[in-house]
Amino acid sequence: MKSIIVGTDFSEGSYVALELAVDVANRMACGITVVWVKREKMLFSNDQLELMTNLAKDKLQTLCDKHRPAMKYGTIEWIIIQGRVSSAIAELAKKELAPLIVVGTNGASGFEKYVLGSTAARIVQDAPCPVLTMRQGYDFHKKLERIVVPVRVNANSRQKVPPAAAMARIFGSKVYLLGLLDLKEEESALRTYVNQSADFLDKEGVPYNIEIEPYSNYCETVMHYADSIQADLVVINTEQDRVISQIFLGTNAQQIVHKSQIPVLCIHPEDYINVASKV
């Protein structure tokens, strides 16, 4: 049985992410692997590193013991791997054919607002599968009822719709298609893209709503709309061609991952991944 991978650094944000992952795993009928990454380059002695590793083992076991009774189908296990956090988790996900990675984020501050600096954003960048990020303080007990899917006149934009539909089926959610209009002369093309997305949701039996809004700032418009409808999830693609660049995550995706107060499901455009199909 495939397992959702949950990265932890034993912060409050990672604990909240694990709580949500348990709910997702139960709905996807799969297990969970909780991962702590022992970094290769650390300014600690061998004795200090051994102590940290033993403490991590105790914490990981405690986390699994705590959440195991709530697992309805699969089990929850832990593993310690070594390396650069984002690449190590990505390699594990690839090896295990994980359907999803779940990580917590504390949001952006200072330099991170302009340069890719957070571990969560780097995991999104390197991951071979969809990544669900969530910020510390999110109320995971709230039902996932409303999913926002931004749509633009972009060849990759509609690739978010199948994963969003899969999540909507899993949680019984409604999808809110947000058509983002950049140029007035693109309105006809945008409505075509939105209507094609709506046709797909119709075929999948997923309820939806359509809004068209002009925008100048992608992140602010999406977040304002999500807040206005009290959304529970935003689905975005990373706008990144990993063949060309391994350095930068798309600016819009980076800002939303950092700033969003609600969970964000990040999809790589070239992956064409349907979350449910990988379980």
Side-chain angles (χ1 to χ4, degrees):
M1 176 179 290
K2 297 183 179 68
S3 295
I4 292 172
I5 289 177
V6 182
T8 185
D9 57 2
F10 307 115
S11 66
E12 186 61 32
S14 68
Y15 293 154
V16 175
L18 179 55
E19 295 274 7
L20 180 60
V22 170
D23 187 24
V24 175
N26 285 337
R27 293 173 186 272
M28 295 174 69
C30 64
I32 289 176
T33 299
V34 185
V35 182
W36 180 70
V37 181
K38 181 167 62 175
R39 302 189 184 189
E40 291 177 335
K41 296 181 180 180
M42 300 183 70
L43 300 178
F44 298 102
S45 68
N46 289 335
D47 288 342
Q48 289 173 320
L49 188 56
E50 183 179 0
L51 176 60
M52 290 177 62
T53 302
N54 288 333
L55 288 173
K57 289 179 180 178
D58 290 341
K59 289 184 178 181
L60 288 165
Q61 188 62 52
T62 298
L63 283 173
C64 290
D65 290 344
K66 175 184 177 181
H67 292 289
R68 189 168 289 113
M71 298 294 293
K72 295 180 180 179
Y73 301 100
T75 186
I76 178 169
E77 304 294 344
W78 60 267
I79 186 173
I80 293 177
I81 55 181
Q82 186 167 336
R84 179 173 174 263
V85 175
S86 57
S87 57
I89 289 178
E91 284 300 316
L92 178 64
K94 184 177 181 180
K95 177 183 176 181
E96 300 295 329
L97 299 176
L100 185 68
I101 296 172
V102 182
V103 292
T105 175
N106 293 323
S109 61
F111 193 58
E112 286 183 359
K113 292 181 179 178
Y114 305 100
V115 177
L116 181 64
S118 79
T119 300
R122 289 185 183 275
I123 291 171
V124 170
Q125 174 181 291
D126 293 345
C129 62
V131 179
L132 182 61
T133 69
M134 58 183 306
R135 194 166 184 171
Q136 179 177 328
Y138 173 71
D139 180 8
F140 58 86
H141 295 294
K142 186 179 186 299
K143 291 183 179 179
L144 200 157
E145 297 176 327
R146 302 176 183 88
I147 300 175
V148 174
V149 180
V151 179
R152 294 187 294 170
V153 180
N154 180 297
N156 296 323
S157 188
R158 290 163 294 180
Q159 292 177 13
K160 302 185 294 287
V161 179
M167 291 296 283
R169 290 197 305 271
I170 290 169
F171 285 92
S173 315
K174 183 175 182 178
V175 171
Y176 288 73
L177 296 170
L178 176 61
L180 294 171
L181 183 61
D182 184 15
L183 302 172
K184 184 64 178 177
E185 52 267 33
E186 292 182 343
E187 182 171 358
S188 178
L190 176 62
R191 290 189 180 277
T192 297
Y193 276 45
V194 171
N195 289 336
Q196 289 172 345
S197 300
D199 288 343
F200 180 87
L201 294 174
D202 270 330
K203 292 177 182 177
E204 295 296 309
V206 174
Y208 62 87
N209 184 74
I210 293 175
E211 292 286 344
I212 305 292
E213 289 192 11
Y215 79 100
S216 56
N217 184 299
Y218 178 93
C219 180
E220 288 183 2
T221 303
V222 172
M223 291 293 92
H224 180 269
Y225 178 75
D227 183 61
S228 72
I229 66 166
Q230 296 183 311
D232 306 297
L233 178 70
V234 176
V235 181
I236 61 173
N237 62 35
T238 64
E239 303 168 312
Q240 175 201 17
D241 187 336
R242 285 179 286 182
V243 175
I244 297 174
S245 172
Q246 291 288 341
I247 301 174
F248 297 108
L249 182 66
T251 301
N252 291 327
Q254 179 183 339
Q255 290 182 358
I256 288 180
V257 167
H258 281 315
K259 295 180 179 180
S260 179
Q261 301 295 323
I262 61 175
V264 179
L265 181 64
C266 302
I267 310 294
H268 288 296
E270 69 272 27
D271 285 341
Y272 301 95
I273 292 176
N274 184 312
V275 176
S277 71
K278 298 200 72 179
V279 178

